[in-house]
């Protein structure tokens, strides 16, 4: 089965139909640059452009880099503050001609995809996926079930918002070496471990493509630490999985009885 996922990020909005049997994109993804400022209206236009690029007319799942409850975006740490309190699921559904739209947090989407198709597949206990990018996103699982909107990127670390110290943006802005940045990531992981005692950390975001640069520099963490496997497409895949929940089941899918 194919469903459509869109990943809204601070720099790009990307989407593709997803093959849910394989957990991978069914076609090459289409990406447009996030308008600045990234207002709901401007971004909604980009989501429409991405979906229309594929001629897709079914339900759509969309990730957002902030807290999302019941389709309403509640926070916007790295986006325009105009998103706060917007019924984003309703806005996007209206702009996409009334089709069902499911909206969820970007890290939660990536986490669900990793747990199903990637590094967390078959893993029980407490698993925490952290995406290290412009901000830090988190997805917390207990025996495979997501606790949504965990927002562990905003834990306080040495008096700072953790994502301001240990995100990839913090590394780039501060021109930190891999060694210095890895020390910060290690302190951050130690803090999260103190609070949750996870069995497994999955590290996602762009850096999951270069685990050899920093994973060997991290020690003193009891939990196993592995890089994410789906990398850049985890958000799109997780968004499409969320759309599945809204798709009316056909008689064949419902089965007898
Ligand atoms: C937001 C999270 C988001 C993360 C990654 C944080 O600033 O608060 O909701 O998951 O960035 O985009």
């Amino acid at each position: 089965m194919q469903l459509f996922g869109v990943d809204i990020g601070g720099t790009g909005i990307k989407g593709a139909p997803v093959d849910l049997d394989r957990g991978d994109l069914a076609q090459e993804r289409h990406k447009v640059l996030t308008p600045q400022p990234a207002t709901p209206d401007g971004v909604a236009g980009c989501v429409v452009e991405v979906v229309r690029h594929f001629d897709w007319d079914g339900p759509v799942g969309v990730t957002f880099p902030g807290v999302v409850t019941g389709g309403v975006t509640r926070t916007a740490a790295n986006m325009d503050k105009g998103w706060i309190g917007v019924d984003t699921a309703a806005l996007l559904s209206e702009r996409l001609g009334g089709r069902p739209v499911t909206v969820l947090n970007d890290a939660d989407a990536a986490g669900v995809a990793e747990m199903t198709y990637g590094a967390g597949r078959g893993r029980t206990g407490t698993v925490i996926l952290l995406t290290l990018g412009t901000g830090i996103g988190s997805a917390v699982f207990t025996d495979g079930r997501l606790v949504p909107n965990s927002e562990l990127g905003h834990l306080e670390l040495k008096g700072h918002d953790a994502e301001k110290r240990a995100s990839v943006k913090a590394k780039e802005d501060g021109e930190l070496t891999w060694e210095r940045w890895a020390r910060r990531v290690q302190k951050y992981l130690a803090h999260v471990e103190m609070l949750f005692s996870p069995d497994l950390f999955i590290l996602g975001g762009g850096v999951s493509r270069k685990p050899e640069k920093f994973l060997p520099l991290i020690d003193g963490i009891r939990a196993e630490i592995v890089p994410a496997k789906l990398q850049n497409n985890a958000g799109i895949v997780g968004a499409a999985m969320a759309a599945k929940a809204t798709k009316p089941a056909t008689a064949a899918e419902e089965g007898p009885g």
Side-chain angles (χ1 to χ4, degrees):
M1 182 188 12
Q2 289 189 13
L3 277 167
F4 202 94
V6 181
D7 196 16
I8 297 178
T11 52
I13 296 162
K14 50 210 185 198
V18 173
D19 178 339
L20 291 178
D21 299 319
R22 290 188 296 118
D24 202 358
L25 307 192
Q27 290 180 52
E28 198 178 325
R29 67 187 192 179
H30 184 63
K31 176 174 172 176
V32 297
L33 292 181
T34 306
Q36 301 300 337
T39 58
D41 191 50
V43 169
C46 295
V47 172
V48 172
E49 188 184 329
V50 169
V51 177
R52 296 254 189 271
H53 179 84
F54 294 92
D55 248 352
W56 177 264
D57 62 6
V60 171
V62 179
T63 76
F64 181 79
V67 171
V68 186
T69 59
V72 177
T73 41
R74 304 283 178 187
T75 69
N78 297 302
M79 297 291 276
D80 187 83
K81 300 297 174 234
W83 285 95
I84 297 171
V86 172
D87 188 339
T88 298
L91 168 74
L92 295 177
S93 173
E94 192 224 301
R95 296 283 290 266
L96 285 164
R99 77 185 78 192
V101 175
T102 309
V103 184
L104 75 166
N105 174 262
D106 57 358
D108 284 347
V112 168
E114 283 293 334
M115 292 302 283
T116 309
Y117 304 106
R121 195 171 173 169
R123 297 296 299 245
T124 52
T126 303
V127 178
I128 300 185
L129 169 120
L130 297 166
T131 60
L132 307 171
T134 307
I136 294 180
S138 61
V140 176
F141 294 85
T142 167
D143 286 339
R145 275 184 72 95
L146 172 71
V147 180
N149 293 307
S150 50
E151 292 293 314
L152 302 184
H154 299 295
L155 288 173
E156 190 182 309
L157 206 59
K158 286 196 159 183
H160 298 270
D161 199 20
E163 73 174 19
K164 297 274 186 296
R165 308 255 322 149
S167 63
V168 168
K169 183 167 188 297
K171 177 181 185 298
E172 286 166 1
D173 289 353
E175 296 179 11
L176 304 180
T177 59
W178 285 103
E179 286 75 15
R180 273 197 69 193
W181 182 67
R183 272 202 297 281
R184 290 188 181 187
V185 173
Q186 179 176 311
K187 286 198 177 112
Y188 174 62
L189 293 177
H191 192 63
V192 176
E193 179 160 77
M194 184 266 292
L195 293 169
F196 291 91
S197 301
D199 301 288
L200 174 68
F201 279 117
I202 302 174
L203 301 187
V207 283
S208 57
R209 263 172 296 166
K210 305 177 198 162
E212 72 287 353
K213 295 272 191 199
F214 69 103
L215 279 189
L217 303 172
I218 293 176
D219 62 20
I221 306 294
R222 194 177 58 237
E224 188 184 346
I225 309 174
V226 296
K229 281 197 181 146
L230 279 72
Q231 297 169 351
N232 268 344
N233 293 331
I236 298 176
V237 173
M241 291 172 74
K244 186 175 178 192
T246 66
K247 186 174 179 277
T250 62
E253 281 166 356
E254 272 172 0

